[in-house]
Amino acid sequence: MAQKKRRQHFVPQHLQRNFAIDEKGRRVRIYILKNKKFTETSIKDNLQAPYFYGKSEKVEAIFSDEIEGPVSLTIDKMIKNPKNFMRKNKTLDEETLRYFYTLRNRSVATAKTLDDITNQIMKQWEDSPNFDNSQKKLRREFQEKMVDTNELRGKGALVEPIDESRDKIYNGKYMLISSEKRLYLSDRASTSFFPISPYVLLVIGDMVDIVKHVFTLRSKEYIIDFINSWTINNATNLIIVGRDTTSKDIEKLEKINYHKSRGFPLT
């Protein structure tokens, strides 16, 4: 009998490994926002929760087999040689885009929002004037099979963007930005900016045009500070940082309020 995958990572392990601080790629250094403290942790234990996507493991299997596995090889190519990758790939394929739009749905913050909405719907259902015995039984079954087991949360993580959001964000346009300044990885993904290693940033969708314009006005260092500031100010609980990152580095970035003062949208 196959062993159940009780630990289900909402930030993929292979992505975290790109930020590892040891040669074997097993540990990362994190900054915990609430305690304002740094610590080292095993990737296996980091950014995961028991049956986060459901006890049936159906969604976990989809992420592992259909989404993360194939795209991890693409990300490796991006990191190895960003210029060469962009020269060979004019746009991002659907498989890769699917990986990145699911990242947006896989944070604790998003899961909590979905859980809150679900609880409201369940309460409205129970308070409905048409809530007879058959409805009561149906509600109980739904609660037991979908809500209590996190199956609904798992299905929510696979929801695809539609209409305008898809056209603007996940339209295949992209650019890779190499940086000497270290990027931080958040427990909450943006829709347009994805640090895929400490030194390579992926920008997708119409944000590519905005970033290209900003490059005519600002330095690359400004762009990276901007991204790191957003990462810190919008993370749910923690960020993955570099070995040499200090409290002063974090405090400096926390004080930056680019998205209000510069009109540079991220989400």
Side-chain angles (χ1 to χ4, degrees):
M1 184 176 176
Q3 186 178 2
K4 280 187 171 292
K5 295 181 179 179
R6 183 174 182 273
R7 292 176 176 171
Q8 298 178 357
H9 288 76
F10 43 90
V11 175
Q13 291 186 76
H14 79 86
L15 188 56
Q16 293 189 59
R17 277 193 288 271
N18 294 336
F19 294 79
I21 57 174
D22 63 318
E23 291 184 0
K24 293 184 177 180
R26 295 178 179 173
R27 300 185 66 78
V28 289
R29 185 167 182 248
I30 64 174
Y31 178 75
I32 303 173
L33 299 171
K34 183 178 180 180
N35 300 332
K36 296 186 180 297
K37 290 183 178 180
F38 296 95
T39 187
E40 292 184 13
T41 183
S42 165
I43 290 172
K44 181 177 67 175
D45 301 322
N46 195 41
L47 298 173
Q48 57 82 28
Y51 302 116
F52 189 78
Y53 306 113
K55 291 187 177 180
S56 72
E57 302 176 74
K58 291 179 180 178
V59 172
E60 173 71 5
I62 291 172
F63 282 135
S64 177
D65 300 337
E66 298 180 20
I67 299 178
E68 294 175 11
V71 177
S72 65
L73 300 176
T74 300
I75 292 175
D76 288 345
K77 292 177 183 177
M78 290 178 176
I79 293 169
K80 185 176 182 180
N81 195 325
K83 288 184 178 179
N84 186 56
F85 185 90
M86 286 189 288
R87 187 163 52 247
K88 290 184 175 180
N89 301 273
K90 301 305 179 185
T91 59
L92 289 184
D93 59 81
E94 282 293 321
E95 191 175 64
T96 304
L97 289 171
R98 187 185 184 200
Y99 170 93
F100 287 106
Y101 67 62
T102 60
L103 283 186
R104 177 64 174 172
N105 300 336
R106 296 169 64 176
S107 70
V108 170
T110 303
K112 185 180 183 304
T113 299
L114 179 60
D115 290 346
D116 289 344
I117 292 172
T118 301
N119 289 336
Q120 291 176 24
I121 292 172
M122 298 298 279
K123 184 67 169 60
Q124 290 174 0
W125 191 356
E126 188 174 348
D127 293 341
S128 170
N130 299 321
F131 193 66
D132 55 17
N133 287 336
S134 63
Q135 287 288 312
K136 185 176 182 179
K137 180 182 178 181
L138 187 63
R139 184 197 178 284
R140 184 171 62 249
E141 290 177 353
F142 187 80
Q143 180 81 37
E144 292 173 352
K145 292 180 180 179
M146 298 300 297
V147 182
D148 294 344
T149 59
N150 289 339
E151 295 299 314
L152 194 63
R153 178 193 292 176
K155 291 183 182 298
L158 291 171
V159 171
E160 300 184 17
I162 58 174
D163 302 331
E164 185 179 2
S165 62
R166 182 177 179 85
D167 293 339
K168 288 186 175 182
I169 301 169
Y170 303 107
N171 52 22
K173 291 172 23 177
Y174 79 102
M175 67 184 295
L176 295 167
I177 302 173
S178 299
S179 169
E180 295 180 1
K181 196 167 188 175
R182 190 178 181 106
L183 290 152
Y184 302 145
L185 181 65
S186 174
D187 61 358
R188 184 178 186 179
S190 166
T191 55
S192 305
F193 289 81
F194 299 92
I196 54 176
S197 88
Y199 305 107
V200 179
L201 176 71
L202 170 67
V203 184
I204 65 175
D206 283 0
M207 187 59 71
V208 171
D209 299 327
I210 296 174
V211 170
K212 286 181 178 178
H213 175 67
V214 173
F215 268 133
T216 66
L217 307 172
R218 299 283 185 170
S219 66
K220 183 183 293 185
E221 185 178 48
Y222 169 88
I223 297 289
I224 302 305
D225 277 348
F226 178 94
I227 300 302
N228 283 339
S229 171
W230 187 93
T231 297
I232 293 169
N233 285 302
N234 289 275
T236 305
N237 180 47
L238 61 88
I239 55 173
I240 297 177
V241 299
R243 187 186 294 279
D244 300 324
T245 303
T246 67
S247 296
K248 287 186 177 179
D249 294 329
I250 300 294
E251 289 169 4
K252 179 182 177 182
L253 291 167
E254 281 179 327
K255 293 176 181 177
I256 297 174
N257 200 355
Y258 283 112
H259 43 299
K260 285 188 177 179
S261 61
R262 305 298 202 280
F264 193 146
L266 268 167
T267 55

